[in-house]
Amino acid sequence: MEVFYNHETTSFRACWARILTSLNIVVFFFTVILNIWSFQRLNSCNKTTLLPTDSRQQRVLKSHYPLIDLAQYSPKRFDADLGAPSVYKGPPRPQLDDAWKRLVDQPMLLVNNETLQSFDPTSKPSKGVNGHYYATVEVYHQLHCLDITRKFIWRQNYQHVDTFQDPPDMVWEHVDHCIDLLRQVLMCNGDIGLVFYTDVGKLKPVPRFSTTHMCRDFAAITEWVNKHDSELGIYAENDVN
C-alpha cells in the first residue's frame, strides 16, 4: 500500500507540474502579444498629432485629411555640427530672410467639420466658409515661432517687423509664448536618438550632433499645402493632381 501511495503522489505532482508549465507558456505568449500591441500603439502615437485612437475614426479622418498618409517618414541626416554652414544661420541678410520666409509663409487650408472635431473638439465658434473651416498646418506656426525668436535676438535689425511694433510687454509675451510652444513640441516628440562623442585625448570630448533621424518629407507637406490653398477654394479632402 505504501508503494502504491507514493506512486499516486508522484503522478499527482507530475500532473500539477504539467499544468503549471502550460500556464507559464500561456502567460509568456500573452505577455509577448501585449508588448507587441503596446509597441505598435506607442509607435502610432509618435507619428500622429491629436488623432482619434479608434481605427474607424482614423480611417474617416484620413479620407478627409489625406496629408496624414502623404507625409511619409524617411531617414534624414542632420547637418548640425558647430560651425556647419546653413542658409538659415548667421546675421541678418537678404538671403537669410528669404530662406526663412519660404519656410514660414505657407497658405491656410479649408477643412470639414469631421477634421475640425478630430483635431480640436470644441464648442468655440471657428472661422470658416461653406461648411469648411480655416486651419494652419502646425509645423508652419512652429517655424514662425522659431523665426520670431531668431528675429528677436537680432531685433535691432528687425524694428520694422509687425510683432515688434507692439508694446514691449506684449512683444516679450509673444516671444515667451513661442519659446514655451517649442519646448512642448520638442518634449512631445521626445527624440530618443543618441549623441556620441569623439575622443580627443586629454581635451573635452567633442559631441557629434550630425545624426540620422526619421523625418517626414517636409517638401511633400509644403507641396500638398500649396495645392490646397484656401484662397484657391480647394478643400483639404479634395484630390488635386
Side-chain angles (χ1 to χ4, degrees):
M1 290 293 293
E2 185 178 351
V3 173
F4 178 75
Y5 174 78
N6 288 339
H7 173 72
E8 286 214 342
T9 302
T10 302
S11 299
F12 178 76
R13 289 176 178 172
C15 180
W16 269 107
R18 287 194 296 271
I19 292 173
L20 290 174
T21 300
S22 299
L23 286 174
N24 283 333
I25 292 172
V26 170
V27 170
F28 171 77
F29 280 107
F30 176 77
T31 303
V32 170
I33 293 170
L34 182 62
N35 284 334
I36 292 173
W37 178 83
S38 299
F39 175 79
Q40 289 175 337
R41 290 298 298 275
L42 178 61
N43 191 47
S44 66
C45 287
N46 287 337
K47 294 188 177 181
T48 56
T49 308
L50 294 179
L51 299 183
T53 54
D54 178 76
S55 59
R56 184 191 63 80
Q57 287 180 294
Q58 284 203 9
R59 286 195 299 272
V60 170
L61 179 57
K62 288 177 182 180
S63 68
H64 295 310
Y65 187 47
L67 187 57
I68 294 170
D69 275 340
L70 292 175
Q72 296 296 313
Y73 284 81
S74 60
K76 181 177 178 61
R77 187 167 182 81
F78 285 12
D79 187 10
D81 288 338
L82 292 176
S86 171
V87 68
Y88 303 107
K89 293 169 59 177
R93 59 193 187 278
Q95 297 88 345
L96 176 75
D97 291 333
D98 287 345
W100 277 96
K101 183 179 176 64
R102 287 193 296 271
L103 283 183
V104 175
D105 287 357
Q106 300 300 331
M108 300 182 76
L109 305 175
L110 279 169
V111 304
N112 59 21
N113 187 60
E114 289 84 354
T115 305
L116 165 65
Q117 293 303 320
S118 295
F119 281 94
D120 186 18
T122 178
S123 58
K124 294 180 181 179
S126 298
K127 182 70 175 178
V129 59
N130 297 329
H132 287 71
Y133 303 91
Y134 290 102
T136 299
V137 177
E138 287 256 23
V139 67
Y140 301 119
H141 176 231
Q142 294 156 7
L143 285 168
H144 154 79
C145 267
L146 188 57
D147 190 34
I148 283 294
T149 305
R150 175 189 69 86
K151 289 175 178 174
F152 185 74
I153 294 172
W154 297 90
R155 56 189 177 280
Q156 69 273 16
N157 298 89
Y158 292 104
Q159 294 299 319
H160 60 283
V161 173
D162 287 345
T163 301
F164 301 151
Q165 307 308 308
D166 294 329
D169 58 335
M170 290 186 64
V171 174
W172 278 102
E173 179 61 30
H174 194 149
V175 175
D176 258 356
H177 150 78
C178 281
I179 292 172
D180 196 55
L181 171 67
L182 294 175
R183 173 195 64 80
Q184 293 178 70
V185 171
L186 291 169
M187 293 177 68
C188 175
N189 286 288
D191 192 339
I192 58 173
L194 298 173
V195 173
F196 292 92
Y197 300 81
T198 301
D199 188 350
V200 289
K202 295 182 179 180
L203 298 177
K204 187 177 180 180
V206 179
R208 300 194 294 270
F209 294 121
S210 293
T211 54
T212 301
H213 299 251
M214 290 299 292
C215 305
R216 280 195 168 108
D217 187 338
F218 186 79
I221 295 173
T222 300
E223 180 183 4
W224 185 90
V225 168
N226 278 271
K227 285 183 177 180
H228 294 79
D229 184 345
S230 60
E231 292 190 1
L232 299 176
I234 299 173
Y235 301 138
E237 68 267 22
N238 292 154
D239 183 18
V240 181
N241 295 323

